[in-house]
């Protein structure tokens, strides 16, 4: 008697591989940012045996992320602390089994890379991509309807294991991204993000720095028409 092929098992494997491919698309690679990138995507040891990694369960990956945050909370934020955290993040990012766990690892890595000269541009785009993926609008990092509808994970996949990790709400991520844009001098983009989450004082300040006084005054008067506040009156000078 010939054994029948396990069609259901093959279908499950194909679905699992497709799901992992969707999860991995969250990553912004160095080559996506620059054609002459200096940094490797992963740590590459000279001994090939050191580059072999065994699969971890999703719970084990969540524990590594917790240990990474423990290093951050118990040490001053300097170069050595960042390198210690990178070790945990690099191990978590070797796998892409869960959408939210992988996204958390990418976000933590992006925050660390913002302090690096050669990684800052990729880090900003990575945070932008992570914020955009919770929206169905066309943006810089999801510029086609295919990337919005087909390459995105359903809500139930994104919410899985949410309570086992530390992941910020979207509005907090947008505020963080806007502040980083402002520090880099990209104040108009920062103002648009601040406006989206209704941080009006920051919106006015960004337009003022950008030299768009008329736009800043327009925002102030619109806010005063809705509700009079001391900060808006102070912004008028």
């Amino acid at each position: 008697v010939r054994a029948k092929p396990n069609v259901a098992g093959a279908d499950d494997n194909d679905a699992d591989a497709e799901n992992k491919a969707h999860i991995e698309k969250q990553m912004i690679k160095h080559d996506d940012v620059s054609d002459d990138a200096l940094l490797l995507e992963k740590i590459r040891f000279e001994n090939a045996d050191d580059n072999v990694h065994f699969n971890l369960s999703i719970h084990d990956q969540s524990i590594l992320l917790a240990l990474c945050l423990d290093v951050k909370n118990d040490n001053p934020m300097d170069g050595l602390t960042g390198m210690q955290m990178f070790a945990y993040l690099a191990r978590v990012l070797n796998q892409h089994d869960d959408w939210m766990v992988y996204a958390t690892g990418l976000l933590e890595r992006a925050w660390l890379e913002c302090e690096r000269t050669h990684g800052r541009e990729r880090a900003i785009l990575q945070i932008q991509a992570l914020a955009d993926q919770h929206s169905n609008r066309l943006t810089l990092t999801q510029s086609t309807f295919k990337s919005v509808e087909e390459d995105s994970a359903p809500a139930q996949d994104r919410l899985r294991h949410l309570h086992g990790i530390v992941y910020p709400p979207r509005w907090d991520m947008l505020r963080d991204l806007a502040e980083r844009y402002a520090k880099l001098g990209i104040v108009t983009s920062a103002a648009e993000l601040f406006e989206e989450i209704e941080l009006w004082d920051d919106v006015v300040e960004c337009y003022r720095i950008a030299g768009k006084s008329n736009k800043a005054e327009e925002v102030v008067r619109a806010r005063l028409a809705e509700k009079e506040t001391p900060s808006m009156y102070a912004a008028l000078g």
Side-chain angles (χ1 to χ4, degrees):
V1 180
R2 293 182 179 178
K4 296 182 179 180
N6 188 356
V7 178
D11 291 341
D12 290 341
N13 290 335
D14 291 342
D16 188 49
E18 183 178 358
N19 182 47
K20 290 183 177 181
H22 282 315
I23 293 174
E24 192 177 16
K25 287 181 180 179
Q26 296 181 94
M27 179 186 289
I28 300 293
K29 298 181 179 180
H30 287 297
D31 292 339
D32 297 332
V33 178
S34 175
D35 293 332
D36 55 349
L38 300 176
L39 302 178
L40 297 174
E41 290 298 333
K42 296 181 180 180
I43 298 173
R44 185 181 300 167
F45 297 99
E46 292 184 356
N47 188 346
D49 294 336
D50 293 332
N51 293 312
V52 177
H53 299 283
F54 297 99
N55 286 339
L56 299 175
S57 68
I58 295 175
H59 292 294
D60 288 336
Q61 296 173 48
S62 300
I63 291 173
L64 287 182
L65 289 175
L67 291 173
C68 175
L69 291 179
D70 184 61
V71 172
K72 178 181 180 180
N73 294 334
D74 290 346
N75 295 278
M77 200 58 206
D78 55 21
L80 181 59
T81 301
M83 293 306 298
Q84 289 177 315
M85 295 174 64
F86 262 113
Y88 292 105
L89 296 175
R91 184 61 188 89
V92 171
L93 294 176
N94 270 324
Q95 295 177 226
H96 31 272
D97 304 318
D98 180 80
W99 183 279
M100 191 57 68
V101 171
Y102 192 70
T104 303
L106 290 175
L107 182 60
E108 289 288 344
R109 187 183 70 176
W111 283 340
L112 292 176
E113 286 187 341
C114 280
E115 308 303 322
R116 292 182 170 187
T117 303
H118 294 295
R120 186 174 295 120
E121 187 176 358
R122 192 269 288 267
I124 293 295
L125 284 177
Q126 181 66 78
I127 299 173
Q128 179 77 64
L130 292 172
D132 289 346
Q133 71 181 4
H134 296 286
S135 169
N136 58 4
R137 295 180 301 177
L138 294 180
T139 61
L140 175 65
T141 57
Q142 51 181 29
S143 56
T144 63
F145 287 106
K146 179 179 181 297
S147 62
V148 175
E149 298 176 359
E150 299 180 16
D151 294 341
S152 181
Q156 62 268 24
D157 289 347
R158 302 187 191 196
L159 293 176
R160 192 178 298 129
H161 304 107
L162 177 63
H163 298 289
I165 55 176
V166 180
Y167 195 81
R170 183 172 182 270
W171 66 266
D172 196 24
M173 194 182 303
L174 289 176
R175 178 189 57 79
D176 175 76
L177 179 61
E179 291 175 351
R180 295 182 188 277
Y181 273 144
K183 289 179 181 178
L184 292 175
I186 314 174
V187 288
T188 301
S189 296
E192 293 173 355
L193 290 174
F194 281 131
E195 188 170 359
E196 183 176 347
I197 55 179
E198 300 185 3
L199 293 178
W200 301 111
D201 292 343
D202 295 308
V203 172
V204 173
E205 184 63 23
C206 285
Y207 280 134
R208 181 179 296 169
I209 295 174
K212 299 181 179 180
S213 301
N214 293 335
K215 181 65 175 178
E217 182 179 351
E218 180 183 331
V219 172
V220 171
R221 294 195 181 280
R223 299 309 305 163
L224 287 173
E226 184 171 332
K227 181 180 179 180
E228 297 182 357
T229 61
S231 61
M232 289 294 104
Y233 274 118
L236 284 177

